[in-house]
Structures are given as C-alpha cells and as structure tokens.
Amino acid sequence: MRRFVVVGHKASSSGDFKLDDMAGGAGRLDILLRCVNSAFFLSHGIRKDAEIYLVLQGPPAPTAIVRFVGSDLKYLNPDERSTGALVRTALLKMDGREWTRSSPGVSVSRRSLGDLLAELSAHSRMLLLKEDGAPLDGMGAEDVTFVLSDNQDLAPAEEELVNSLSAGSVRLGPLSLHADHCIILAHNALDRAAQG
Ligand SMILES: C[S@@+](CC[C@H](N)C(=O)[O-])C[C@H]1O[C@@H](n2cnc3c(N)ncnc32)[C@H](O)[C@@H]1O
C-alpha cells in the first residue's frame, strides 16, 4: 500500500466553505485537492493500492482528517471542484473521532496529526518528503507512508513529531516542487522499483 499524508496548515476543518473559493477562504484547500488527483488518477483508471489523508488544520479547529481509499473509491473526477465537494460532504457528516464514511472510499474523522501518524507508523514505513532529505532509493514493495506539507514547511513541532515516527527524510529531486507533483514522482519511483 502507498499512503500519502498531506498537512494543510490553513485548510478548513469544517464544511462551511464555498466551492468557488477553495484557494482563498478554504485555506488553500485547492493544493490538497490536486494531491488527491495525483494520488489516484492513471490515464485509464484509479490506483487501487493508494490512500491519501488530508490533514485539515485550519479553522474552526480541532483538526479534521479526510481519508480517500483507492480500493473503494467512487465518484472521484479529475476536476478540483467535484473533489472539493467530496471533502465538503465528508466534513458536514463528521461525527467525532470515529471514521465516518461519507461516500464510497471517503471517510472523515476529528483526530490530530499525531494520532494519525502513530496509527499509520505501526504498520507502514513512514518517510518525510523534504527538499533536503536523502535521495529516495532502495524502495521495495513494502507498505509506505509519505508525509508532505502544503505551501508551507512543516512547523518545527510537526517535523519533530514526524521524525520521531519515521524512517527519515527523503528528497525527490534537487528543486522544491509542488506537493501534488511530489506525489506523482513518488508513485513513479515505486512503479519503477516494482518493475525491477
Ligand atoms: C511547495 S513545497 C513547501 C514549501 C517550500 N518548502 C517553500 O520553501 O516554499 C510542498 C511540499 O512538497 C514536498 N517537497 C517539495 N519539493 C520536494 C523535493 N524536492 N523532495 C521531496 N519533497 C519535496 C515537501 O513535503 C514540501 O513541504
């Protein structure tokens, strides 16, 4: 399984944002929505072996997490607006800490980044995607979780948290890239490793 955790520092944690204002009032939710597309879309299909967790840390707080699971996913379209609608519907159905399913393959929970990472790191090799990390190589077919940030770097406390649970920081190239492009490159590295 390939998992991606994307931290949205200002992304709305309630469903009261407007679909016309996802890059503004929704706290750069647009960045996270592009990450969803990169996590799943192939030319003619959906990656079934991928999951993405959108960590929505913006107002009104506390943090909400929307999870997309490729093996169950339906109604995902390539346009950001319809993915934004899936996120908004999930947030409107959120019911505390338990995962609440809002549509096939999409669920939501009120839980912290720390709780999520602790759960995932128990069964998945966690790697922080970071511009100054070690080169990404030696990937096998293991369960891997990549943690990345939105248009801001992780706060020092967040980075410390990830480092305490991860196998290290890795870089995907010499330049600082958009988060959604990083997901494509990570998939590509794993695809090539799987091919041998
Ligand atoms: C747009 S960048 C973050 C902001 C950027 N550090 C800056 O100075 O403006 C989004 C995220 O993509 C990931 N990222 C970007 N370039 C990367 C690279 N070359 N290797 C690994 N991860 C990268 C990191 O997780 C980063 O936090």
Side-chain angles (χ1 to χ4, degrees):
M1 183 63 72
R2 304 166 180 192
R3 305 172 207 269
F4 300 92
V5 174
V6 190
V7 180
H9 289 94
K10 294 187 175 160
S12 178
S13 57
S14 88
D16 65 358
F17 60 85
K18 292 189 171 52
L19 293 178
D20 288 332
D21 194 23
M22 292 189 294
R28 294 310 311 268
L29 185 63
D30 61 313
I31 295 172
L32 278 63
L33 302 175
R34 285 193 286 279
C35 287
V36 174
N37 284 2
S38 295
F40 294 113
F41 281 117
L42 294 167
S43 183
H44 296 288
I46 292 274
R47 290 183 185 269
K48 304 275 185 207
D49 61 345
E51 291 182 2
I52 189 168
Y53 296 78
L54 307 183
V55 182
L56 310 174
Q57 294 188 332
T63 301
I65 297 179
V66 178
R67 175 178 67 185
F68 289 74
V69 175
S71 54
D72 300 332
L73 206 48
K74 287 194 180 140
Y75 315 126
L76 185 71
N77 294 303
D79 65 294
E80 283 168 34
R81 189 182 171 88
S82 70
T83 310
L86 292 176
V87 169
R88 190 173 67 175
T89 302
L91 290 169
L92 291 172
K93 290 188 178 175
M94 185 163 49
D95 185 20
R97 195 176 184 286
E98 290 309 306
W99 289 107
T100 304
R101 180 183 178 276
S102 57
S103 59
V106 184
S107 48
V108 64
S109 161
R110 190 70 94 182
R111 66 181 67 193
S112 68
L113 174 65
D115 286 349
L116 175 71
L117 296 183
E119 287 159 27
L120 292 177
S121 66
H123 53 84
S124 184
R125 179 177 179 223
M126 191 166 292
L127 294 169
L128 174 61
L129 285 179
K130 198 158 182 264
E131 289 90 332
D132 61 358
L136 176 67
D137 51 27
M139 298 305 294
E142 79 267 49
D143 194 306
V144 61
T145 298
F146 294 101
V147 181
L148 55 163
S149 192
D150 54 2
N151 57 329
Q152 307 177 12
D153 286 330
L154 290 181
E158 292 169 337
E159 193 164 332
E160 213 170 286
L161 172 69
V162 181
N163 284 335
S164 71
L165 296 166
S166 79
S169 307
V170 290
R171 73 167 181 269
L172 296 164
L175 303 178
S176 183
L177 305 167
H178 286 191
D180 56 321
H181 299 168
C182 289
I183 291 175
I184 297 286
L185 289 180
H187 267 317
N188 184 254
L190 297 177
D191 291 345
R192 285 185 290 115
Q195 218 176 27

